[in-house]
Each structure stands twice: as C-alpha cells, then as structure tokens.
Amino acid sequence: MPEGPTLVILREALREFKGKKVLEVSGNAKIEQQLLLNKTVRDFKTFGKHFLICFTSFTVRIHFLMFGSYSINEQTKADKAVRLKLVFGNGTLYFYTCSIKIIGKNLDEIYDWSADVMNAAWDKKKAKQKLKRYADELICDVLLDQDLFAGVGNIIKNEVLFRVRVHPESRIGAIPSQKRSAIVSAASGYSFDFLAWKRKYVLKKNLLVYGKKVCPRCDLPLVKGNIGKRQRRSFYCINCQKKY
Ligand SMILES: [Zn+2]
C-alpha cells in the first residue's frame, strides 16, 4: 500500500497536468465521470494516503487501498481494469485498483492538514496531545491511525518504532512522555527520509527491520508477527526495543 511519501512523489510526477483540461474520461469508477469532462485541474494535493485532484468546484479523491497503483501515458497494468483514465492534451493518466470518490465540500472542512506527517501544517504538539486519548491502545495500532498520523503506513510504523527503540506492543499510557515525543517526531522525520530514499530509488536498502530477519543493532533474530487490533505485520527486536 502506498504510504504518504509515495503520494508526494505522485503529486510531483503529475505537475505537468496542473492547469490542463480533461479532454476524455473513462474507466470503471462509479462516479459521475461527465463532471470531469472539459474541466481544468487546479491542483494536486495529498492528505496522508488520499490523493486529491482538485477542480474548481469539486475534488476527485483517490484512495489506493492495499493494491492501488497508477501509470502515466501508458497503460502498464494490462491485467487490471482501469478504474479511471484521464486524457489531457499533454498525456494520459491511469489509476488502477483504487477507491475513487467525488468530494463537493471544501477540503479544509474535511481534512485536518495538521494531522498529515508530510504537510507543512503538521503539528507535532497536537499529535502528542491527541495520543493521550489512546492511553489503553498499543502504539503499533495508533501509529497507523490516519486521524493522528495521516500518511504513516506499515513500513513507516515498523521503522519508526525501531528508530526510537520502542516495542510495537507498548501501551500508549505506559510510554514515558519523552519517548512519546520521540515517536511523534520520528513519524514525520522518518517519512521525509523515506521520501528522499524513494526519490533516489534506495528505499529498500535503507530499511532496517521491515521484511528483515536480523536486528542490525544487536545481530539477533527479529520477531515477526501480526500484532495489535489491526493485526498488521510487525518486525521488531525484543533486545533493543523496550516494551512499556
Ligand atoms: Zn536489536
């Protein structure tokens, strides 16, 4: 599943279509497709894992879910049905296996931009404040909560907890304040590292625990398991990641 930084890269890749008119629209997305025809793209935005194509009076919201993808100019996923195809004068955009909706409301009413770890409006203090409401929850679940950490996906979750040396099954209420601050900071900081590595195509070689077998700090086997309420894959070291 694409995480926040991946959508930032998509936003940059689509810059050439900003200010361009949609000349053709097709695909199996169950939206009022005619609405997009001959309309000009005003902007591309992201909120966590939501990709937003902004027109003057509405926005097309794309959620990539687990297996969503896109391509530019060529239909690369011949085996997958095209969910939405947008033809512009200077190229074509394809989206596959994603959820697509049209939003009529002003985006500022829907999104709290300060909850997006990659947004300029990201508010670390507010995130730490919000954490208090989840005292009984496990950090591995809460880090994936898009209301608190929009953009953080499963890879970032695992790497952040390793970076700050916190066991994924730690209860929020038991984690010391300083450590909670470190988690909140790393959620955004790591996301920007992820973005920089992905731009240079070196993300995989910079992953320390996700998909790995041995702790690079301790040289001991990592634990791998589907834990927490969400039962998402976790990789961690019981020697250097403390359980609170
Ligand atoms: Zn370790």
Side-chain angles (χ1 to χ4, degrees), residues 162 165 209 214-222 236-241:
F162 181 72
R165 300 174 184 244
V209 287
V214 177
C215 172
R217 276 197 292 248
C218 313
D219 205 22
L220 291 169
L222 289 168
Y236 52 99
C237 172
I238 52 167
N239 189 51
C240 62
Q241 289 179 256

Side-chain angles (χ1 to χ4, degrees), residues 98-114:
C98 48
S99 149
I100 301 183
K101 269 188 182 158
I102 289 182
I103 302 175
K105 273 190 180 171
N106 185 322
L107 294 181
D108 292 338
E109 287 174 35
I110 302 172
Y111 295 116
D112 173 6
W113 303 103
S114 73

Side-chain angles (χ1 to χ4, degrees), residues 23-227:
L23 304 178
E24 279 174 47
V25 51
S26 57
N28 64 11
K30 290 185 184 72
I31 55 166
E32 208 186 312
Q33 297 187 3
Q34 293 309 304
L35 202 60
L36 281 69
L37 205 57
N38 294 316
K39 299 276 169 45
T40 300
V41 173
R42 297 297 169 198
D43 208 356
F44 293 105
K45 291 184 178 176
T46 59
F47 177 79
K49 299 172 189 169
H50 292 179
F51 190 74
L52 306 161
I53 307 175
C54 309
F55 295 90
T56 302
S57 55
F58 64 92
T59 301
V60 175
R61 190 200 81 183
I62 296 171
H63 192 307
F64 287 95
L65 308 169
M66 292 301 273
F67 304 106
S69 60
Y70 68 93
S71 64
I72 302 168
N73 293 332
E74 270 178 75
Q75 188 183 334
T76 52
K77 313 272 169 167
D79 54 324
K80 290 186 190 170
V82 176
R83 184 114 324 147
L84 185 67
K85 175 182 174 185
L86 299 177
V87 180
F88 298 92
N90 60 342
T92 305
L93 196 50
Y94 299 87
F95 292 101
Y96 317 88
T97 334
C98 48
S99 149
I100 301 183
K101 269 188 182 158
I102 289 182
I103 302 175
K105 273 190 180 171
N106 185 322
L107 294 181
D108 292 338
E109 287 174 35
I110 302 172
Y111 295 116
D112 173 6
W113 303 103
S114 73
D116 184 332
V117 295
M118 304 219 65
N119 198 290
W122 159 249
D123 190 336
K124 203 173 117 175
K125 274 190 195 147
K126 204 162 149 188
K128 203 185 163 196
Q129 204 63 33
K130 282 194 224 165
L131 266 186
K132 288 186 182 158
R133 289 183 227 149
Y134 299 85
D136 291 326
E137 311 256 340
L138 301 182
I139 188 63
C140 60
D141 287 325
V142 177
L143 260 178
L144 292 173
D145 189 326
Q146 299 299 296
D147 291 332
L148 271 89
F149 299 104
V152 170
N154 206 37
I155 298 175
I156 296 176
K157 174 200 83 180
N158 280 289
E159 296 290 327
V160 161
L161 292 175
F162 181 72
R163 182 175 273 194
V164 299
R165 300 174 184 244
V166 173
H167 190 294
E169 285 179 305
S170 297
R171 210 174 53 80
I172 301 282
I175 301 173
S177 169
Q178 232 180 347
K179 250 327 176 204
R180 266 184 282 168
S181 296
I183 294 169
V184 169
S185 295
S188 175
Y190 186 85
S191 295
F192 280 97
D193 288 344
F194 183 118
L195 174 65
W197 291 325
K198 205 155 166 94
R199 276 191 181 129
K200 292 188 212 145
Y201 306 100
V202 293
L203 173 66
K204 243 188 172 162
K205 79 172 192 199
N206 280 289
L207 295 179
L208 298 178
V209 287
Y210 187 83
K212 307 288 176 191
K213 292 190 164 70
V214 177
C215 172
R217 276 197 292 248
C218 313
D219 205 22
L220 291 169
L222 289 168
V223 178
K224 175 184 159 188
N226 295 343
I227 55 173

